[in-house]
Amino acid sequence: MSEHNTSIFSRSLSAETIFKKGFDMVSINESISGLAYRRAASIAFDESQPQYPFVAPGIVLIPKDSVSYPFNVIRKQIMSDLAKTLVQYDPLETLEQDCTLTKASFGYEEPWLSKTRDRSIVKFSVLIAQDDFSEDEGSRMEIAKLEYSGANRTGNRQLLMSEQPEKIAKVIVHNSSSMLIETAISRVNTDKPFFLFTGSIGGTSK
Amino acid sequence: MIAGEIDISSFFNSGYAASKLTGPLLDELYAEIKDEMWVDVTPRPNRPRKYVKRSFAARSLMMPNESRDVYVRFVDLLKEWLHPLMSNYDGSHEIVISATCGRQGYSMTLHNDVGDRCVLDFLLYLNPAYRDENDGGILEVYHCNPDNYKMGEKQLLARIEPTYGNLVIMNNLDPSFHHMVTEVTQSDAYRYSLMGSYGMISPPDWHVDIKDDVENKGVFVNPESPVTMEYTSDVVAAVNAYITNKKI
C-alpha cells in the first residue's frame, strides 16, 4: 500500500507550488471534513466557559501540544507532505507552532496583510463548513501578490486565489516568508458561520 | 554610498538583488581587509556544502557579530539600505559579518542557506585585481525544486561577477533559490570579500569560542608572511596578539 493512499488529502501538497505560485490548496476527505466541523462546533466560543484561551472574540488559541483530533491529523499530513523541504530549515518537531481556531460569524473579516513578521516559513488555513456557501455570502479566503518598484509598493495587487468554504474542507498553505504575498478574509455576509483552523510552520509566535 | 534602492521584487522573484558600493568607504574597506590575518578553514567532510581554497580573517572566527573598525560603517550603511525589507521581519536584527578570501581553485557547490534561518546573506566584493569572467569566481543564482534540487530542473537566474564594489544580497527565506561559485582560475588570486547574514531567527552565542568547531588548520596566508600553525591554541594566541597590537 503506498503512502499516497493513506493520505486524508485529495493529493499531496507541493512545496514547489507553494513557493512558485505563493500557495497550494488541497481538499480533505469527506469523513475527516465532517469530523472537523463537528469538533470545531463543539468548542465553546462562549468566553464565560473557555476551553482554550481567547486571543480575540471568536478566536481561540490552541497550544501546539494541545491540538486534538482531527486537527492534529490534518497538521501532521501537512508536515508530512512538506517534510523534504521543511527539514532543510530545522528539525520538523521544532517547526510546529501554536494554532488558532476562528469562528467566522456574520460581519467577520480580515484585512489584507502580509504575514512575514513572525518569521514563519509557511502558514496553513483550513476552511471548515457544514454546507457550501453561495456567491453572495462572501466569506472568501483570498491570496494576492504585490508589486514593488525598487523599495516601494506600486499599489498593484494581483489576485492569486479566492476560495469560499465548502462542505468538503479545504487546506490552503501559503508562503508566509515573502513580503509580496498577502492574505485576507472577505466579509462574512451570512448567519451561518464557518471555522478557520490556522497555524504557522517555523515561526516564532507563541 | 550604496547605489539606488534595494530591488524588493528581484529579491523575492529572482532570489537576489544587486547594487554597488562606491566612494571612499570602498577603498578603506579594501585597505582594512588586506591587513587581516587569514586562517584556512576546511569544512567537515560530511557537510553538504563543499568549498575549497577558502580562508577567513582570524578575527571573523572570534565574534562575527561585533564588527570593528571601518566594517562598522559598512554595516550601518547596509542596515539603512536594507530597512525597507528588514522592517517587515521580527527576530534578531543582528548582522554577522566575516572577511573571506578565496584563492586560485576556490569554488563553492550549489546550495542554499535556509538552515541558517536568516532573512538574507550578503556579499561585498573587494577584488581590484579581478579582470573579467575568465578569471572565474562568478556567483551563479539558480531556481530549483525545493524538494530535491539535485534531481530537478535548474533554471539559471543570474551570473554576478565579483567586480570590485559589487554588492549582492541573496534571499535566504525561499528554499527554491540556490547559489554556487565557479572556480577561481586567476593565478595568484586573493579574492577578498565581506560576507555575512542579516536577521537570524535566533543567533547562536557568539561568545563561545568556535574555532575548534570549524576545524581550522591554522594556516596563515597573508601573501607577505605566510605562517603555518599546527595547533588551535597557536591561532588563538596569534589573534590575541594581533588584536592587542591593533588596540581593538
Side-chain angles (χ1 to χ4, degrees), chain B residues 183-199:
Chain B
E183 184 177 338
V184 172
T185 52
Q186 182 185 12
S187 60
D188 300 324
Y190 288 91
R191 291 293 177 79
Y192 297 113
S193 65
L194 289 176
M195 54 164 263
S197 58
Y198 191 2

Side-chain angles (χ1 to χ4, degrees), chain B residues 118-133:
Chain B
C118 57
V119 175
L120 61 92
D121 291 332
F122 62 87
L123 273 167
L124 174 68
Y125 292 109
L126 296 166
N127 309 313
Y130 174 80
R131 293 165 303 197
D132 56 39
E133 60 181 309

Side-chain angles (χ1 to χ4, degrees), chain A residues 94-131:
Chain A
T94 67
L95 292 173
E96 292 178 347
Q97 302 297 321
D98 297 342
C99 298
T100 58
L101 183 67
T102 302
K103 185 178 183 179
S105 305
F106 186 84
Y108 181 82
E109 62 185 334
E110 291 180 17
W112 285 107
L113 196 63
S114 172
K115 304 288 177 60
T116 57
R117 193 157 290 287
D118 73 350
R119 301 297 307 276
S120 56
I121 304 160
V122 295
K123 288 183 189 292
F124 63 83
S125 302
V126 186
L127 303 180
I128 304 161
Q130 192 168 28
D131 298 299

